[in-house]
Amino acid sequence: MKTIGLIGGMSWESSKLYYEFLNIKTKDFLGGSHSAKCILISVDFAEIERLTFNDDWNAIGKLMKQAAQQLERAGADIILLCTNTIHLVSDYISEHITIPFLHIATTTGESIKKLGLEKIALLGTKFTMEKDFYTKTLTNDFGLKILIPEKNNRQVVHDIIYNELVKGQFTNTSKQIIIEIIEELQNQGAQGVILGCTELPILISESDIEIPIFDTGKIHSHAAIEWSIEY
């Protein structure tokens, strides 16, 4: 079994789920008392959040590069960035390490194609929904058509993520708002929805909506375990 390096803390609410997903999947694969071999570096999200809203992606990239290099020196065999939005600077990681970097949009695209879906809704921060670092992987590599909410609803989703979810606040009011936004996208032809913020699956579950949901953190974790065990 190979060792998985995790860059977490963005937010810790979802990073703790990565640890759970990794270990449950390992036990499913190997049984008995097996658990995942992993190393975690958890950053201070307040610093990342400040740089994000200052649009200082270069500084964020440098922090991610440093974290990835620390993990490689510590013995990691593969790197996972435990967040969707910060994949905007994933090149800072992949270009400065000698071990594989597993991109969350790639694992998500693979999961969607296994179901034979073509038209997919995407929810996440405004950065994830509006910039092309995420959607271009889904469209170019997997031929998917991506639907995002209209502008006002993108702001609503973004605010719920930053004002509530990353702070551990999960309310029924926000849950219903997100469900209604997903239903609007379903009416536009979405066959499934990517929960492209790793905190969103804490708020929304498969039983809440009619179309398949893609829990990016779980998908990412499971793909890493498959690589770790089968490599």
Side-chain angles (χ1 to χ4, degrees), residues 44-45 64 90-91 116 127 129 145 148 169 173 177 185 206 215 227-228:
D44 180 2
F45 185 58
M64 296 303 106
S90 62
D91 287 351
F127 310 111
M129 292 185 286
K145 182 174 182 180
I148 61 174
Q169 300 172 22
T173 299
I177 290 170
L185 294 167
E206 293 180 350
D215 179 341
W227 182 92
S228 170

Side-chain angles (χ1 to χ4, degrees), residues 115-172:
L115 291 185
L117 306 184
E118 298 177 350
K119 199 171 185 179
I120 302 295
L122 171 64
L123 296 189
T125 67
K126 287 199 299 183
F127 310 111
T128 300
M129 292 185 286
E130 295 177 356
K131 295 181 181 292
D132 71 352
F133 72 96
Y134 201 93
T135 55
K136 69 181 180 183
T137 295
L138 299 172
T139 56
N140 294 348
D141 295 352
F142 299 97
L144 298 172
K145 182 174 182 180
I146 308 301
L147 299 178
I148 61 174
E150 53 88 17
K151 184 176 181 180
N152 288 341
N153 282 342
R154 293 199 297 271
Q155 186 65 53
V156 168
V157 175
H158 184 87
D159 290 343
I160 287 173
I161 291 169
Y162 277 105
N163 296 334
E164 299 178 23
L165 304 190
V166 300
K167 297 176 181 177
Q169 300 172 22
F170 304 93
T171 68
N172 286 329

Side-chain angles (χ1 to χ4, degrees), residues 43-52 60 63-64 86:
V43 302
D44 180 2
F45 185 58
E47 181 180 11
I48 303 298
E49 186 178 46
R50 176 180 59 79
L51 293 170
T52 298
I60 296 172
L63 290 172
M64 296 303 106
I86 308 304

Side-chain angles (χ1 to χ4, degrees), residues 24-31 34 222 225-226 229-230:
I24 289 174
K25 190 67 172 177
T26 301
K27 187 174 182 180
D28 288 344
F29 260 99
L30 301 177
H34 286 286
H222 287 184
I225 289 298
E226 291 174 9
I229 292 171
E230 296 174 359

Side-chain angles (χ1 to χ4, degrees), residues 10 14 17-18 21-22 80-85 87 102-112 120-125 128 134 138 193-202 204 206 213-224:
M10 298 168 283
S14 60
L17 294 178
Y18 264 80
F21 294 148
L22 290 170
L80 272 66
L81 180 56
C82 304
T83 166
N84 286 274
T85 295
H87 274 75
L102 189 60
H103 198 292
I104 196 168
T106 299
T107 59
T108 299
E110 290 170 347
S111 182
I112 294 167
I120 302 295
L122 171 64
L123 296 189
T125 67
T128 300
Y134 201 93
L138 299 172
V193 57
I194 299 167
L195 300 183
C197 161
T198 49
E199 287 81 27
L200 277 171
I202 305 174
I204 302 293
E206 293 180 350
I213 68 169
F214 294 89
D215 179 341
T216 51
K218 181 181 287 187
I219 292 167
H220 202 201
S221 301
H222 287 184

Side-chain angles (χ1 to χ4, degrees), residues 55-72:
D55 206 30
D56 193 349
W57 296 99
N58 183 57
I60 296 172
K62 289 179 179 178
L63 290 172
M64 296 303 106
K65 179 185 75 172
Q66 291 168 7
Q69 290 174 334
Q70 282 182 268
L71 288 168
E72 183 171 11

